[in-house]
């Protein structure tokens, strides 16, 4: 990543990836290393802060799955590099990594695509069903969400998009 670009982790679903190649990735928000996140994690290095932002995007992907019951039960996070003008930083509470996206993200801005492997599908499906309850503080629901978060997302180069879509659709 160069200094003039901002790395943003955008939560997505497999159907959103299918639209990415033709229309760009449409999402209102993503996660990045913001000044607010840096201040909250004063002891964290850049890699640790990026992992926090990435993890939050994966959590948001669960909410997208809940809203789209037809989507394959796999969390998707798209790592993109954007010009600062394409990334808004709304008023944030301490520790927030949320950023606003100015428009559809073109495929050329994608640095990497991260998707759950087949072994995670059952846990991700269960977590998507209860993610809202977990966010509201339900400990049983949080336990289920934690089960999905135990799975690491697999990494794909943007040139592998077509292959990825054939394998997870």
């Amino acid at each position: 990543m160069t200094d003039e670009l901002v790395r943003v982790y955008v939560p997505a679903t497999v159907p959103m990836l299918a639209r990415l190649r033709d229309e760009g990735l449409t999402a209102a928000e993503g996660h990045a290393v913001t000044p607010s996140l840096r201040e909250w994690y004063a002891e964290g290095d850049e890699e640790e802060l990026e992992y926090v932002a990435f993890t939050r995007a994966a959590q948001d992907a669960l909410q997208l799955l809940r809203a789209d019951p037809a989507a394959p039960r796999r969390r998707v996070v798209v790592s993109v590099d954007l010009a600062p003008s394409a990334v808004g930083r709304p008023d944030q509470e301490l520790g927030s990594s949320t950023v606003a996206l100015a428009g559809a993200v073109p495929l050329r801005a994608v640095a990497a695509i991260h998707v759950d492997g087949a072994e995670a599908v059952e846990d991700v499906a269960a977590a998507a069903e209860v993610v809202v309850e977990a966010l509201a503080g339900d400990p049983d629901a949080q336990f289920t969400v934690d089960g999905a978060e135990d799975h690491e997302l697999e990494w794909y180069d943007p040139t592998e998009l077509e292959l990825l879509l054939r394998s997870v659709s």
Side-chain angles (χ1 to χ4, degrees):
M1 184 173 85
T2 62
D3 289 341
E4 59 268 354
L5 296 177
V6 177
R7 172 63 52 97
V8 179
Y9 303 98
V10 183
T13 62
V14 171
M16 291 172 72
L17 284 181
R19 292 188 299 271
L20 167 62
R21 68 178 166 237
D22 300 322
E23 305 167 22
L25 182 63
T26 53
E29 294 181 338
H31 292 271
V33 177
T34 63
S36 176
L37 183 64
R38 243 189 207 93
E39 185 178 342
W40 195 43
Y41 283 95
E43 301 299 316
D45 65 18
E46 194 69 15
E47 189 173 315
E48 290 170 318
L49 295 172
E50 287 183 2
Y51 185 75
V52 169
F54 177 87
T55 301
R56 290 178 178 173
Q59 291 167 345
D60 285 356
L62 286 174
Q63 293 180 62
L64 294 173
L65 288 173
R66 182 177 177 127
D68 184 359
R73 304 286 92 180
R74 296 179 190 228
R75 295 169 298 164
V76 176
V77 175
V78 183
S79 297
V80 301
D81 293 325
L82 300 172
S85 61
V87 180
R89 291 196 170 88
D91 290 335
Q92 297 183 334
E93 61 185 61
L94 188 60
S96 176
S97 61
T98 303
V99 295
L101 300 176
V105 176
L107 181 57
R108 69 180 178 278
V110 175
I113 301 167
H114 313 269
V115 181
D116 274 310
E119 76 287 345
V121 169
E122 188 176 313
D123 289 337
V124 170
E129 291 298 316
V130 299
V131 66
V132 172
E133 292 82 356
L135 290 169
D138 181 318
D140 292 331
Q142 186 60 54
F143 181 79
T144 301
V145 168
D146 290 345
E149 291 177 354
D150 286 343
H151 297 278
E152 292 290 327
L153 279 73
E154 298 173 353
W155 181 93
Y156 294 88
D157 187 89
T159 61
E160 298 176 288
L161 178 60
E162 294 301 323
L163 176 65
L164 173 62
L165 287 171
R166 283 195 299 273
S167 69
V168 298
S169 294

